[in-house]
């Protein structure tokens, strides 16, 4: 039997038992989807030019045909005028209720931030305990030379961490 015959026999056996290749299953799944719509026609340069009075409507993007559609730029009805002086800028008047709403929002944000901070502090603390206990159990179950190796690495790591802590303290305290 040739290699081609073996491949065809394996394919026939797969199909008999209901096993399909992933590529065949993907082809069947894609065949179930409708065909994609054709791409929209690209607008000509004349359609994209913005006039001062009316914005053109590109029919592909408009909900209603002939409705003025703003593509970009300021609103033609209310053109933007730059304030001449800082005193010309009007600040919205604050009422008691708007201040109360702002205070309530600030309270909400502070409560959420505090809750997240507490959650993550507790989460990292529990993770530290878990890793420490797993390390202790692992250290307890290993043989003598491995215990020596783990002890030397742990002592070296603690010494490096302590020196790093001292350097950070010096940087923060500006000594």
């Amino acid at each position: 039997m040739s290699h081609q015959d073996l491949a065809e026999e394996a394919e026939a056996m797969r199909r008999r038992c209901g096993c399909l290749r992933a590529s065949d299953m993907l082809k069947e799944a894609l065949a179930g989807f409708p065909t994609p719509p054709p791409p929209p026609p690209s607008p000509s340069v004349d359609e994209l030019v913005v006039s001062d009075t009316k914005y053109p409507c590109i029919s592909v993007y408009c909900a209603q045909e002939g409705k003025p559609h703003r593509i970009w730029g300021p609103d033609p009805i209310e053109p933007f005028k730059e304030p001449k002086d800082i005193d010309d800028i009007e600040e919205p008047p604050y009422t008691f209720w708007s201040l109360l709403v702002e205070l309530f929002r600030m309270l909400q944000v502070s409560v959420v931030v505090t809750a997240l901070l507490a959650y993550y502090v507790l989460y990292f603390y529990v993770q530290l305990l878990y890793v420490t206990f797993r390390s202790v159990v692992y250290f307890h179950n290993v043989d003598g030379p491995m215990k020596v190796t783990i002890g030397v690495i742990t002592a070296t790591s603690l010494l490096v961490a302590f020196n790093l802590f001292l350097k950070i303290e010096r940087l923060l305290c500006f000594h």
Side-chain angles (χ1 to χ4, degrees):
M1 278 191 141
S2 71
H3 182 66
Q4 180 71 18
D5 293 336
L6 288 174
E8 287 176 4
E9 184 179 326
E11 181 72 23
M13 185 175 67
R14 251 193 232 110
R15 292 197 182 276
R16 275 196 309 270
C17 74
C19 304
L20 295 174
R21 288 184 180 167
S23 59
D24 293 337
M25 292 185 346
L26 182 62
K27 285 177 188 174
E28 288 179 10
L30 288 176
F33 285 101
T35 59
S42 61
S44 66
V45 176
D46 295 336
E47 289 175 319
L48 290 177
V49 173
V50 179
S51 66
D52 291 338
T53 57
K54 181 181 174 188
Y55 291 101
C57 181
I58 302 170
S59 63
V60 175
Y61 301 107
C62 283
Q64 298 173 358
E65 190 70 29
K67 178 181 174 186
H69 183 68
R70 207 174 88 193
I71 299 174
W72 66 81
D75 193 2
I77 298 169
E78 299 176 21
F80 177 74
K81 71 172 192 180
E82 186 137 349
K84 295 180 175 92
D85 194 6
I86 196 82
D87 297 331
D88 291 345
I89 299 174
E90 295 179 15
E91 292 188 21
Y94 285 106
T95 63
F96 172 74
W97 292 110
S98 63
L99 288 175
L100 196 62
V101 166
E102 290 299 320
L103 286 173
F104 184 71
R105 286 182 184 158
M106 287 174 49
L107 180 68
Q108 282 180 322
V109 168
S110 65
V111 166
V112 167
V113 168
T114 306
L116 285 173
L117 182 67
Y119 170 77
Y120 281 111
V121 165
L122 288 173
Y123 175 78
F124 288 126
Y125 177 71
V126 168
Q127 287 296 318
L128 180 66
L129 287 177
Y130 172 74
V131 169
T132 304
F133 287 143
R134 275 196 69 178
S135 299
V136 167
V137 168
Y138 179 77
F139 183 77
H140 179 72
N141 292 330
V142 295
D143 58 348
M146 192 64 176
K147 283 186 180 182
V148 171
T149 305
I150 292 173
V152 168
I153 291 173
T154 304
T156 307
S157 299
L158 289 174
L159 186 66
V160 169
F162 183 71
N163 284 333
L164 184 64
F165 178 73
L166 289 178
K167 287 185 183 202
I168 290 174
E169 182 188 15
R170 284 187 204 131
L171 283 175
L172 292 178
C173 293
F174 304 110
H175 285 201

